[in-house]
Amino acid sequence: MVQETIEDFKKKHVENYKNAVLETLKNNTTGLFEDDILSLLKKPPLDSMDIIKCKFLDLAKRHKTIIQAEALDKILNDYRKKVITYIPSWEKLRIEELQKNICSFVPKKENDVIRLNKKDFTSLNRKLKKMMKEDISDVIDKKIVKNVKQLFTKVTDEKLYVTLSNEMIKFVQSNYVKQVLESIDFKIIVKDTTLINGVREQGERFLFTKMNSYLLNEDKQAND
């Protein structure tokens, strides 16, 4: 095989490797957002698993009043329907940030491979968590906080309404957001580790093929 063809084959091998790593990144990110994080934000399968609903009903019970169940369900459904529309933008940010090193990879040494380390996620995750917190909080304000009054009947005492609504608002704006972000953080840590290992495995396959392929080593064999 002529030298030019060998070089073309080597370049093709590197491009295939980069594409495989990109695919690993995309699959990992899709799993993170469209499975793991979506499960935290969409309507839970059981009412007993609905953190907000259970808290609001518990607060109403403690204050010996009744809130309108249908209105609560609608408010929570509107919140969830809206907040999950932000998932594609979060997903896009992670892929765009992490694919920079992958797309720019050019092996300079015999054993060069694409590597992702924990430090590579530090800046990204800080930016990502800030973005998610702002988006979730914004939707909470627009879909829950602004509509809290709909939960109460016309005969609800004004003083009770103020007290109870303030407690509900405080919960969703602080404790709830904190709980959700902590759960998301755990999901991200797990997926980051999985991605690091997945990229390492792709590198091992790349080097194994590189070292054991007759075509990729034809120029070496010719000099032996």
Side-chain angles (χ1 to χ4, degrees):
M1 184 177 286
V2 296
Q3 187 66 27
E4 183 180 357
T5 308
I6 294 173
E7 290 305 315
D8 289 341
F9 193 78
K10 286 182 177 180
K11 289 178 182 178
K12 183 64 176 175
H13 181 54
V14 172
E15 285 305 310
N16 289 340
Y17 167 50
K18 288 162 70 172
N19 288 334
V21 176
L22 283 172
E23 190 66 21
T24 299
L25 166 62
K26 289 174 183 176
N27 290 338
N28 176 274
T29 302
T30 297
L32 171 60
F33 288 102
E34 298 181 23
D35 293 327
D36 298 343
I37 291 177
L38 177 61
S39 70
L40 298 172
L41 298 174
K42 70 179 183 180
K43 181 178 174 60
L46 301 173
D47 281 350
S48 60
M49 299 168 66
D50 191 327
I51 300 172
I52 303 176
K53 186 171 187 176
C54 288
K55 182 64 176 181
F56 279 20
L57 292 174
D58 180 61
L59 286 171
K61 184 178 179 180
R62 275 196 274 154
H63 285 279
K64 298 179 181 179
T65 190
I66 296 173
I67 56 176
Q68 303 190 76
E70 289 185 7
L72 178 57
D73 286 338
K74 183 181 185 307
I75 287 171
L76 295 182
N77 287 338
D78 288 347
Y79 158 68
R80 294 190 171 100
K81 184 178 178 181
K82 180 62 179 179
V83 79
I84 63 177
T85 64
Y86 287 92
I87 286 179
S89 62
W90 303 340
E91 189 174 346
K92 183 171 180 254
L93 173 63
R94 188 172 189 262
I95 290 175
E96 286 182 346
E97 288 292 315
L98 292 175
Q99 73 179 6
K100 292 175 184 177
N101 289 340
I102 299 170
C103 295
S104 62
F105 171 72
V106 177
K108 295 181 174 60
K109 299 178 182 177
E110 191 69 20
N111 293 327
D112 272 357
V113 292
I114 299 166
R115 301 182 191 278
L116 285 179
N117 301 303
K118 288 184 178 180
K119 63 180 178 61
D120 296 315
F121 295 88
T122 304
S123 175
L124 163 64
N125 287 342
R126 190 182 299 117
K127 188 186 300 183
L128 189 57
K129 290 169 192 175
K130 182 176 182 291
M131 183 181 185
M132 288 190 287
K133 182 179 181 180
E134 289 176 350
D135 290 339
I136 293 171
S137 296
D138 183 60
V139 180
I140 284 173
D141 288 344
K142 291 178 178 176
K143 298 298 182 179
I144 300 180
V145 174
K146 284 182 68 175
N147 296 301
V148 162
K149 194 167 187 177
Q150 296 177 19
L151 302 177
F152 301 92
T153 64
K154 293 180 181 179
V155 296
T156 303
D157 178 76
E158 181 68 21
K159 185 177 179 181
L160 176 60
Y161 158 70
V162 172
T163 300
L164 189 47
S165 61
N166 284 342
E167 289 184 23
M168 290 174 170
I169 290 170
K170 181 180 178 182
F171 172 74
V172 290
Q173 288 182 330
S174 57
N175 290 18
Y176 170 71
V177 172
K178 183 180 178 182
Q179 288 177 38
V180 169
L181 291 175
E182 285 176 350
S183 297
I184 288 175
D185 192 43
F186 177 74
K187 301 286 188 184
I188 290 174
I189 290 171
V190 172
K191 273 298 191 287
D192 286 353
T193 302
T194 303
L195 180 57
I196 290 170
N197 292 334
V199 171
R200 184 184 300 120
E201 288 172 6
Q202 291 290 354
E204 290 169 355
R205 292 194 192 102
F206 169 69
L207 291 179
F208 179 83
T209 304
K210 185 177 181 180
M211 298 303 174
N212 292 278
S213 169
Y214 174 80
L215 291 174
L216 291 172
N217 289 281
E218 186 172 323
D219 53 343
K220 290 183 182 178
Q221 294 168 15
N223 293 326
D224 289 342

